[in-house]
């Protein structure tokens, strides 16, 4: 199976966590897009009733509406039963790096509040330590990006302003901010690093998700492997 097939495999497996009368946090990214599509199919077939989605981004919202999932905002619900999202890296303690889709702030807000946070990845996302393959996305106030980039040198990090691919200039988040991608030599204490980064003035949020994932579904050539905290 190629990577896309592995993504579909874990997306289908995540449906087992969804029941009637649930509020579901809908993550952002290619793997979660498959989950949203399959969830919409179940609703259309009458296999699920009274299910509502809380999207983490415009992308997730548009996909949910396209596939017939009723959408509500965070302030319209009392609780989120399950959140489903992907990740860019997963370490052995199930700490994550997320944010390649630039929706990390709302993802963290919603997934932190979920009763169960289910992460969907293929086996290539498993790493020995965070920062091995991917940078840490950091959402920053535009006026402060250069000062924050210099501040990150204290952490021996090399940061780059993320530039748009199909637009001129930097990527702008849905909150109107910029993204710095920070490369660290390695991150041995993700929780401490997550907290430290958020103390830098001008930082809105960072892409380290420590001690938040409950279940990680890993797509492998031998099927889905389930990891739990």
């Amino acid at each position: 199976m190629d990577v896309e097939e592995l993504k579909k495999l874990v997306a289908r497996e995540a449906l087992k966590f969804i029941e009637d009368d649930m509020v579901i946090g809908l993550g952002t990214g290619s793997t979660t897009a498959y989950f949203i599509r399959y969830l919409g199919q179940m609703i259309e077939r009458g296999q699920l009733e009274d299910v509502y989605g809380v999207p983490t981004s415009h992308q997730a919202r548009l996909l949910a509406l396209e596939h017939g999932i009723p959408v509500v905002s965070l302030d319209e619900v009392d609780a989120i039963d399950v959140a489903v999202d992907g990740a860019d890296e997963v370490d052995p303690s199930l700490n994550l790096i997320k944010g390649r889709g630039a929706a990390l702030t709302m993802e963290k807000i919603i997934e932190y509040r979920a009763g169960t946070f289910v992460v969907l990845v293929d086996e290539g996302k498993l790493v020995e330590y965070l920062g091995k393959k991917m940078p840490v996305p950091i959402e920053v106030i535009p006026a402060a990006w250069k000062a924050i980039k210099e501040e990150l040198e204290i952490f021996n990090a090399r940061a780059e302003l993320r530039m748009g691919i199909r637009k001129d200039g930097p990527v702008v988040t849905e909150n109107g901010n910029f993204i710095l991608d920070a490369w660290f030599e390695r991150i041995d204490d993700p929780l401490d690093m997550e907290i430290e980064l958020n103390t830098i003035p001008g930082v809105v949020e960072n892409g380290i998700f420590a001690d938040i994932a409950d279940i990680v579904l890993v797509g492998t050539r031998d099927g889905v492997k389930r990891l739990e905290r």
Side-chain angles (χ1 to χ4, degrees):
M1 289 185 288
D2 62 17
V3 173
E4 290 305 310
E5 290 302 316
L6 296 179
K7 292 178 180 181
K8 294 175 183 178
L9 192 66
V10 292
R12 291 191 184 97
E13 186 71 16
L15 295 170
K16 297 179 180 179
F17 295 89
I18 310 304
E19 302 175 357
D20 293 343
D21 304 307
M22 273 191 170
V23 176
I24 307 165
L26 303 175
T28 300
S30 58
T31 306
T32 317
Y34 287 121
F35 169 77
I36 292 173
R37 180 190 304 172
Y38 299 148
L39 179 62
Q41 291 173 355
M42 291 188 70
I43 293 173
E44 183 180 6
R45 295 167 185 160
Q47 296 171 288
L48 286 171
E49 296 181 349
D50 296 322
V51 169
Y52 299 88
V54 181
T56 57
S57 65
H58 292 317
Q59 181 216 35
R61 181 178 184 277
L62 291 173
L63 277 172
L65 292 174
E66 179 183 348
H67 293 288
I69 301 172
V71 169
V72 293
S73 63
L74 184 61
D75 58 6
E76 291 180 283
V77 299
D78 296 323
I80 297 171
D81 297 292
V82 178
V84 178
D85 205 353
D88 303 308
E89 285 189 348
V90 181
D91 76 5
S93 298
L94 306 191
N95 300 304
L96 317 172
I97 286 180
K98 291 175 46 56
R100 292 304 297 167
L104 61 152
T105 298
M106 188 55 68
E107 287 174 344
K108 190 173 287 191
I109 290 170
I110 289 174
E111 290 152 12
Y112 180 83
R113 284 162 174 74
T116 303
F117 177 27
V118 180
V119 180
L120 313 180
V121 295
D122 63 80
E123 56 190 343
K125 302 295 179 63
L126 301 182
V127 294
E128 298 171 13
Y129 54 86
L130 293 189
K132 184 174 184 178
K133 298 180 179 179
M134 301 296 295
V136 176
I138 305 174
E139 184 168 350
V140 301
I141 299 297
W145 77 266
K146 189 173 181 181
I148 294 169
K149 177 181 178 179
E150 294 171 356
E151 185 78 11
L152 289 169
E153 294 176 2
I154 297 174
F155 299 90
N156 295 317
R158 174 177 56 84
E160 300 173 352
L161 184 65
R162 188 184 298 180
M163 305 303 289
I165 296 175
R166 296 185 179 180
K167 67 175 286 295
D168 294 331
V171 168
V172 179
T173 72
E174 293 172 16
N175 304 311
N177 298 315
F178 291 170
I179 295 287
L180 285 172
D181 288 315
W183 292 88
F184 294 84
E185 292 183 6
R186 67 182 285 150
I187 301 171
D188 292 312
D189 189 338
L191 181 58
D192 182 68
M193 181 64 74
E194 180 180 8
I195 294 171
E196 285 292 320
L197 291 176
N198 279 352
T199 65
I200 300 174
V203 168
V204 177
E205 189 53 81
N206 73 81
I208 299 176
F209 286 53
D211 296 343
I212 184 174
D214 297 299
I215 298 167
V216 177
L217 300 178
V218 185
T220 76
R221 272 64 182 177
D222 299 318
V224 177
K225 182 179 181 180
R226 176 170 169 169
L227 306 177
E228 296 190 45
R229 185 176 301 282

